[in-house]
Amino acid sequence: MKEDMPDINPKLLSPYNPKETEDRIYKLWEESGFFNPDTCIEKGITKADAEPFSIVLPPPNVTGTLHIGHASMLVIEDIMVRFARMQGKRTLWIPGTDHAAIATQSKVEKIIEKEEGKRKSDLGREEFLKRVEKFAQESHDTIVSQIKKMGASIDWSREAFTLDEKRSLAVRTAFKQMYDDGLIYRGHRIVNWDPKGQTVISDDEIVYKEEKTKFYYLKYGPFTIGTARPETKFGDKYVVMHPDDARYSKYKHGDKLIVEWINGPIDATIIKDESIDMEFGTGVMTITPWHSAIDFEIAERHNLDKEQIIDKYGKLLPIAGDFAGMKIKDARAKIIERLEEKGLVEKTEDYTHNIATAERTEAVIEPQIMNQWFINVNKPIPARNNKTLKELMLDPVSNEQIDILPENFKKVYFNWVENLRDWCISRQIWYGHRIPVWYKNEEIYCGIEAPKEAGWIQDEDTLDTWFSSGLWTFSTLGWPEQTKDLADYHPTTILETGYDIIFFWVARMILMSQYLLGEIPFKTVYLHGLVRDAQGRKMSKSLGNIIDPLDVSAKYGADAVRMSLVIGTGPGNDSKMSEDKIKAYKNYANKLWNITRFVLSSTENIEYDEKFDSWTDKDRALIEERNSIMKTITKEMEEYKFYLVGDKIYQYTWARFADVIIEESKPILQGDNTEDKNSRAQFLLETLREIITVLHPFMPFVTEEIWSMLPIKNKNLLMVTPWPIDNKNA
RNA sequence: GCGCGGUUAGCUCAGUUGGUAGAGCGUCCCCUUGACGUGGGGAAGGCCGGGGGUUCAAAUCCCUCACCGCGCACCA
């Protein structure tokens, strides 16, 4: 039966085969050079003065492989980028990876411990770093090939890494400028210490977990104090209450008394402070300034002594007397035993509270007072109209220089910035940007390069990974050098990223760009959600519900995976993923294939005329209908409503074009009326062409493949073919 | 505690400025040898979370309650 169609591309005779197609097409794109806007200009595809469209890829961590969430991000961004390119914009998408300091280091530590039974201290800093770098390189290579598989039309010639030479220079330059402006300082402050990771972490790297524990009421002289942490109480010599608390009015601020305590009598001092909640417990507490942020603040206010009770490894110090050297967990019960013996335990209750744990190591955070590096977010900056970093972060969002989609995240953003405390940027890990500060005797030197004279020793610490990520929109464009790229493409057009890193990353990019460049890093922030499984659960190894983007792409084609990741995924919302959904879009790719076969075979003896004008009334009506849909689609593309567009094209192709229009066309094409026949044939060809064109950002592989088979004269690759609708000049 | 979402067909979700409820998957029936069974036609199935209000008209706007989810802050 197929002999009747001798001129049809033989590929069309069998079902669409993504496996055979995708790698070949990607290679075609890469070889064309069109991922690079400079090439597009050189070859006359894009005008040199065209409107720029630029976007940076949120650099995946070099901790392993990409997951479905990365795939979703790649797809949304690739749709933006392909659409912009087809609209004739000077389109730049910059790829890169993130060294992810603490995440990568702890991953490699785990591997080395598992495979060789060694710790990083057994290897030494230099050797350990070599191992991390090797691991990072391998991860990088995997990630790059995965990005290509998904069809990302990204400019590989501009690839960056947060820890490469150029980005390191950017980091040191930024650090030095902040240091010189007095925004970066070193000081003894209460910080979040991770006893397992042996490093400080920022407030945002903390995860609160619910814990059931005991709450003890202890006799402290004439008072009863409540605590869940008796092991910190050894040095407690201040007893604090609210100044308005009538129950304790006979005690005056500064009164001294001697109380019997864990290891004997203690000189206690009465402190009155308004931060005390009279309703909670007995309204009296003792404080441990070294190991509690709240207590630290009280101590600062009243200029009280601070004493360390717990060491870096979570063990008790000599102040604990008999308990010295014990771990917190073991000590707690023993201390209570002792207090019981002394008759100091009044009662014990069950208690549920949230404890701070480290995001990476899951260890319980122990607040400690330590000498660390901080960024001052409240200091006026003369070069920026005396605005503080906080204000520099707030301004562009409140005055709408920067749009956030969906808008409700603005509120979340404001709330976070307003409550922001100084950002602790030093980390006691090895992998990362070393702090560009050197010491010699009492002297301190901060510079972009090491001092030339001998005897200077560099600070041991590295920087929080988000410090370098904060520079990403401009460090990738060549800053601190004043490059052409920087002038052409910064501020970037849009930042597309997950809502879970709005604080970590989005806020810090705004901070860095506003401060260092005096301009916003991007005009729009598009926040995507989490990709969950069909039941709405998070994907995790333990649930066994992980969908690997590469697996499903191999099985159903990257186009099908792309469609299923976009449709039903508005900004800010989590999306759900299932193989059934992917399967449906694989069928769609095949449907397009079959439509193409029909249209090409049934119009074989008719020459496609792009300027055809003798439409029948019926076809004129169909064109009008199609144009109106295309207009809507274009408008929604411009509004970033890809989830609507994808579905609209799908519906139009299948339910309208295939099921109705093509069915109606069969008798027309087989009939005797030449005018009707010709008009309808032209309509089918033109409509197929338009469908394939507007679908290209969503399903680039199958559309590019079909495009290559359409009877169009002088055509270029579909990826650089102009978008068919221009709403502005319509 | 403060804030933000969500609640629409069995499941997962759309529903643009208020105008007679939609899709995918699933279920049931039927059809089909020239584009496609990865198909076609049809059907069942929804007081659009509860209550109240505005309006000629509300899934859509306002108020309120309930439940689910998330973020931030956390009390010793």
Side-chain angles (χ1 to χ4, degrees), chain A residues 499-552:
Chain A
Y499 65 68
D500 52 329
I501 55 173
I502 183 167
F503 309 136
F504 282 119
W505 197 39
V506 178
R508 268 134 197 187
M509 281 195 282
I510 297 176
L511 180 158
M512 289 295 190
S513 184
Q514 284 276 90
Y515 166 67
L516 291 164
L517 273 66
E519 67 182 26
I520 53 172
F522 31 69
K523 294 169 195 136
T524 303
V525 179
Y526 179 108
L527 297 166
H528 65 246
L530 254 54
V531 180
R532 297 168 177 277
D533 75 358
Q535 282 100 55
R537 301 172 302 179
K538 270 191 186 178
M539 291 190 188
S540 71
K541 274 184 197 159
S542 52
L543 282 171
N545 59 351
I546 289 179
I547 295 180
D548 182 323
L550 281 196
D551 286 355
V552 286

Side-chain angles (χ1 to χ4, degrees), chain A residues 225-338:
Chain A
I225 60 156
T227 186
R229 299 201 56 191
E231 71 278 7
T232 64
K233 298 277 150 206
F234 290 100
D236 285 13
K237 55 185 181 183
Y238 300 106
V239 53
V240 193
M241 57 212 73
H242 197 282
D244 298 341
D245 197 328
R247 291 170 292 181
Y248 309 110
S249 55
K250 68 171 178 171
Y251 299 100
K252 299 281 174 282
H253 182 84
D255 282 358
K256 306 253 185 206
L257 60 161
I258 294 173
V259 300
E260 183 58 30
W261 200 224
I262 312 169
N263 287 327
I266 266 191
D267 287 318
T269 306
I270 305 284
I271 300 294
K272 299 268 179 166
D273 192 281
E274 288 182 354
S275 69
I276 302 300
D277 181 355
M278 290 186 264
E279 309 295 317
F280 187 84
T282 56
V284 183
M285 68 183 233
T286 59
I287 57 168
T288 314
W290 202 283
H291 300 290
S292 155
I294 302 277
D295 295 3
F296 177 82
E297 279 167 26
I298 295 173
E300 287 281 274
R301 268 199 291 279
H302 302 286
N303 202 19
L304 310 179
D305 298 340
K306 310 180 189 85
E307 199 161 4
Q308 187 173 7
I309 315 294
I310 298 161
D311 73 6
K312 278 169 42 171
Y313 306 99
K315 287 183 179 161
L316 290 164
L317 289 164
I319 188 173
D322 299 345
F323 302 96
M326 288 180 77
K327 287 203 162 175
I328 290 171
K329 239 178 99 187
D330 308 327
R332 192 174 291 175
K334 296 252 162 63
I335 293 164
I336 288 300
E337 240 171 68
R338 164 79 60 90

Side-chain angles (χ1 to χ4, degrees), chain A residues 512-662:
Chain A
M512 289 295 190
S513 184
Q514 284 276 90
Y515 166 67
L516 291 164
L517 273 66
E519 67 182 26
I520 53 172
F522 31 69
K523 294 169 195 136
T524 303
V525 179
Y526 179 108
L527 297 166
H528 65 246
L530 254 54
V531 180
R532 297 168 177 277
D533 75 358
Q535 282 100 55
R537 301 172 302 179
K538 270 191 186 178
M539 291 190 188
S540 71
K541 274 184 197 159
S542 52
L543 282 171
N545 59 351
I546 289 179
I547 295 180
D548 182 323
L550 281 196
D551 286 355
V552 286
S553 293
K555 210 163 156 190
Y556 304 105
D559 284 330
V561 175
R562 290 171 63 112
M563 275 297 258
S564 64
L565 282 169
V566 167
I567 293 176
T569 309
N573 286 318
D574 292 352
S575 59
K576 293 189 177 101
M577 225 348 178
S578 64
E579 284 211 28
D580 278 346
K581 197 172 166 188
I582 304 172
K583 225 182 278 177
Y585 294 111
K586 178 190 163 58
N587 293 352
Y588 178 54
N590 196 53
K591 186 75 181 177
L592 285 167
W593 198 251
N594 288 316
I595 288 171
T596 306
R597 182 193 305 156
F598 174 81
V599 171
L600 293 187
S601 65
S602 58
T603 59
E604 257 182 308
N605 35 20
I606 287 162
E607 193 173 342
Y608 175 46
D609 176 5
E610 294 183 46
K611 299 208 171 74
F612 185 82
D613 204 12
S614 319
W615 303 106
T616 61
D617 288 347
K618 173 79 185 160
D619 289 344
R620 223 174 270 282
L622 290 177
I623 289 172
E624 210 160 290
E625 175 197 55
R626 187 191 68 206
N627 285 348
S628 126
I629 290 166
M630 292 295 166
K631 264 189 177 169
T632 311
I633 283 173
T634 304
K635 182 170 161 277
E636 287 172 346
M637 285 298 279
E638 281 160 351
E639 291 166 351
Y640 305 110
K641 292 177 180 167
F642 310 122
Y643 57 108
L644 294 181
V645 177
D647 196 48
K648 236 162 233 170
I649 304 173
Y650 177 94
Q651 293 305 331
Y652 178 70
T653 359
W654 204 315
R656 187 69 190 146
F657 190 60
D659 289 350
V660 179
I661 298 174
I662 284 185

Side-chain angles (χ1 to χ4, degrees), chain A residues 75-93:
Chain A
V75 172
I76 295 168
E77 289 172 24
D78 194 43
I79 289 172
M80 293 175 177
V81 166
R82 285 182 187 270
F83 177 57
R85 194 182 291 116
M86 291 171 87
Q87 282 184 309
K89 294 180 183 168
R90 264 187 304 146
T91 306
L92 176 61
W93 187 13

Side-chain angles (χ1 to χ4, degrees), chain A residues 705-721:
Chain A
E705 180 75 345
I706 290 174
W707 178 256
S708 74
M709 297 185 277
L710 295 184
I712 297 167
K713 292 186 184 110
N714 303 320
K715 64 185 169 189
N716 209 325
L717 286 175
L718 179 56
M719 72 169 283
V720 289
T721 296

Side-chain angles (χ1 to χ4, degrees), chain A residues 146-292:
Chain A
Q146 286 178 306
I147 293 175
K148 292 183 177 181
K149 285 272 182 208
M150 291 312 299
S153 59
I154 198 163
D155 183 3
W156 293 107
S157 74
R158 285 174 165 89
E159 195 191 341
F161 177 50
T162 55
L163 198 56
D164 63 18
E165 261 314 306
K166 283 187 177 166
R167 265 43 69 175
S168 296
L169 175 66
V171 163
R172 295 194 304 271
T173 307
F175 188 100
K176 181 169 164 45
Q177 190 172 328
M178 294 183 121
Y179 182 87
D180 291 346
D181 280 348
L183 293 171
I184 286 185
Y185 66 92
R186 195 181 196 214
H188 291 271
R189 299 289 221 83
I190 191 144
V191 291
N192 309 303
W193 178 256
D194 172 357
K196 197 167 167 191
Q198 286 293 300
T199 180
V200 167
I201 61 172
S202 68
D203 293 344
D204 303 289
E205 289 166 291
I206 285 178
V207 179
Y208 288 94
K209 283 188 186 160
E210 199 169 88
E211 185 198 53
K212 285 187 172 38
T213 182
K214 300 285 180 198
F215 192 81
Y216 307 98
Y217 287 90
L218 307 175
K219 281 186 193 145
Y220 188 86
F223 308 105
T224 301
I225 60 156
T227 186
R229 299 201 56 191
E231 71 278 7
T232 64
K233 298 277 150 206
F234 290 100
D236 285 13
K237 55 185 181 183
Y238 300 106
V239 53
V240 193
M241 57 212 73
H242 197 282
D244 298 341
D245 197 328
R247 291 170 292 181
Y248 309 110
S249 55
K250 68 171 178 171
Y251 299 100
K252 299 281 174 282
H253 182 84
D255 282 358
K256 306 253 185 206
L257 60 161
I258 294 173
V259 300
E260 183 58 30
W261 200 224
I262 312 169
N263 287 327
I266 266 191
D267 287 318
T269 306
I270 305 284
I271 300 294
K272 299 268 179 166
D273 192 281
E274 288 182 354
S275 69
I276 302 300
D277 181 355
M278 290 186 264
E279 309 295 317
F280 187 84
T282 56
V284 183
M285 68 183 233
T286 59
I287 57 168
T288 314
W290 202 283
H291 300 290
S292 155

